[in-house]
Amino acid sequence: MFKLVVLALLAAIIISLGSGLVYLYKDQGQSRRLVKALTLRIGFSLALFLLLFLAWALGWIQPHGVLPPG
Amino acid sequence: MLAKQGTAYYVPHGSHWPIVGSVGLFSLMIGASSWLNEAAFGKYLFLVGVAILVTMMAGWFGNVIAESEGGAYNLKVDKSFRMGMSWFIFSEVMFFAAFFGALFYARSLSVPWLGGEGNNFFTNLMNWESFQAAWPTNGPANVGGDYEIMGPWGLPAINTLILLTSGATITVAHHAIKEGNRRLLNIFLFLTFALGFLFVGLQGYEYYHAYHDLNLTMGSGIYGSTFFMLTGFHGMHVTVGAIMLTVIWFRTMKGHFLPEHHFGFEAAAWYWHFVDVVWLGLFIFVYWL
């Protein structure tokens, strides 16, 4: 369940980054839409990192375990 | 700059840099592969390739910067640059999609098949009877011997934080260039590529740790090869992005760019965000999910 939250945030990051590329192409530097999209992008990313740390500390998510028998 | 621009679409003539670049890349790749195969000349040819490539970059960038500052580029040329950038990014997305695809395919399909999933009961029974599919794995044949995986807390998390911080500093620099705050722009742009090079250095240390302490190598089956392929190519992209930002920093220090006219900065900054997002994807899929 928590993994879905991680994936949703990742999707939000990719969408904000992608919209930034569209503004980069369309606006030719004449607007603030690109810098706003990229600000959103880094905001979502920092939120994701903090959330991951929190979820790990609270035991909601575990990293990959050690090597199973081969 | 803009005021000096004409209406004609500027087309450069007779540039020798593409062929210089091709020769440089050719020497670099032949040199690198010979070096890896322990041919005596490999290392030197590789270094010659690097030297030619650096010369090309300095020369070609210099030409383009001079043309830009000389007012050769009007809005239509600017549009072409942005279109070129978009195609380049498209190829980059496809590049990483193929590698992430390889990781997902191995993890979710081919390794479970070897373990007998789906209609592959006999594959497991006849070929790898004792193998139980799991991830991470070095496969049923235990290729490369026992190894430990790279855990997420420690260097990878520190590296993630470094890259995310550089994403924040480039954003501050971006706001600064729009505001016309040159001092802030110069400082935060410098911080961005400094953090980028720090990331690459730490990644090198992580590889050393993997090879010497964990026995996690490129030969450690499918986990080892996808791990090094994804993180290695990502590291190369961080290096390229940091070089771009360094060049842009030299330009901002010289007073280039206007709040409404700074494609070079926009392209390098967007690319930096892109590389950062790829890392975030790696961090999550390789270490967590």
Side-chain angles (χ1 to χ4, degrees):
Chain A
M1 187 57 209
F2 178 73
K3 288 184 177 184
L4 284 179
V5 178
V6 172
L7 289 176
L9 260 176
L10 204 58
I13 290 165
I14 291 169
I15 290 167
S16 50
L17 179 72
S19 68
L21 186 61
V22 173
Y23 301 141
L24 174 79
Y25 179 73
K26 280 190 172 170
D27 296 357
Q28 295 193 272
Q30 309 298 307
S31 80
R32 283 183 164 269
R33 293 198 295 180
L34 170 62
V35 66
K36 280 181 183 162
L38 293 177
T39 307
L40 261 181
R41 192 301 288 180
I42 186 68
F44 283 135
S45 304
L46 287 168
L48 177 56
F49 185 77
L50 290 176
L51 195 70
L52 213 54
F53 186 80
L54 207 68
W56 170 77
L58 294 172
W60 297 349
I61 192 171
Q62 291 293 320
H64 294 304
V66 283
L67 187 70
Chain B
M1 297 276 223
L2 274 181
K4 287 189 274 172
Q5 288 170 355
T7 50
Y9 189 96
Y10 177 77
V11 180
H13 292 287
S15 175
H16 56 280
W17 295 120
I19 188 70
V20 174
S22 302
V23 171
L25 273 177
F26 186 76
S27 317
L28 184 119
M29 292 316 293
I30 296 286
S33 54
S34 311
W35 192 4
L36 286 175
N37 285 292
E38 291 168 8
F41 68 92
K43 188 176 173 180
Y44 302 103
L45 188 59
F46 172 82
L47 291 174
V48 168
V50 170
I52 296 174
L53 217 58
V54 169
T55 309
M56 181 227 42
M57 284 203 281
W60 202 341
F61 291 178
N63 283 168
V64 172
I65 292 164
E67 285 167 2
S68 176
E69 290 300 305
Y73 301 151
N74 61 16
L75 275 176
K76 281 185 177 156
V77 178
D78 181 84
K79 198 78 187 175
S80 297
F81 284 152
R82 288 165 200 272
M83 187 171 278
M85 162 87 183
S86 305
W87 283 114
F88 167 63
I89 293 303
F90 177 68
S91 73
E92 290 278 270
V93 169
M94 290 294 117
F95 181 90
F96 278 109
F99 289 162
F100 272 102
L103 175 74
F104 296 153
Y105 180 82
R107 256 179 77 165
S108 307
L109 296 171
S110 65
V111 170
W113 286 339
L114 291 176
E117 264 197 27
N119 59 355
N120 292 278
F121 176 74
F122 280 102
T123 306
N124 178 249
L125 190 70
M126 307 302 275
N127 295 329
W128 309 107
E129 202 186 340
S130 62
F131 178 64
Q132 287 183 318
W135 188 267
T137 180
N138 51 357
N142 203 24
V143 187
D146 287 334
Y147 66 95
E148 289 174 59
I149 61 159
M150 191 64 77
W153 298 119
L155 214 45
I158 291 170
N159 254 351
T160 307
L161 208 55
I162 286 173
L163 221 48
L164 284 177
T165 309
S166 78
T169 53
I170 190 70
T171 308
V172 173
H174 203 155
H175 281 282
I177 201 172
K178 294 301 275 185
E179 305 285 347
N181 188 338
R182 307 295 300 198
R183 212 176 95 83
L184 204 65
L185 168 64
N186 290 337
I187 293 170
F188 277 82
L189 195 52
F190 174 82
L191 287 175
T192 307
F193 70 76
L195 286 166
F197 286 121
L198 178 65
F199 173 93
V200 176
L202 286 176
Q203 189 74 4
Y205 176 76
E206 192 191 8
Y207 281 4
Y208 178 84
H209 172 61
Y211 263 74
H212 291 267
D213 303 327
L214 305 179
N215 194 33
L216 173 61
T217 71
M218 278 192 263
S220 301
I222 191 69
Y223 176 75
S225 45
T226 48
F227 173 83
F228 282 104
M229 182 172 68
L230 277 160
T231 56
F233 273 114
H234 175 266
M236 210 175 80
H237 282 77
V238 173
T239 310
V240 168
I243 292 171
M244 288 184 196
L245 289 172
T246 308
V247 173
I248 297 295
W249 180 70
F250 280 117
R251 293 191 62 186
T252 64
M253 293 291 280
K254 287 186 85 174
H256 294 184
F257 303 123
L258 295 171
E260 267 80 42
H261 190 66
H262 50 274
F263 169 69
F265 177 92
E266 284 182 317
W270 192 92
Y271 188 73
W272 194 251
H273 282 275
F274 169 76
V275 168
D276 195 0
V277 169
V278 172
W279 175 260
L280 216 53
L282 275 173
F283 183 64
I284 285 165
F285 288 112
V286 171
Y287 298 106
W288 286 99
L289 297 186

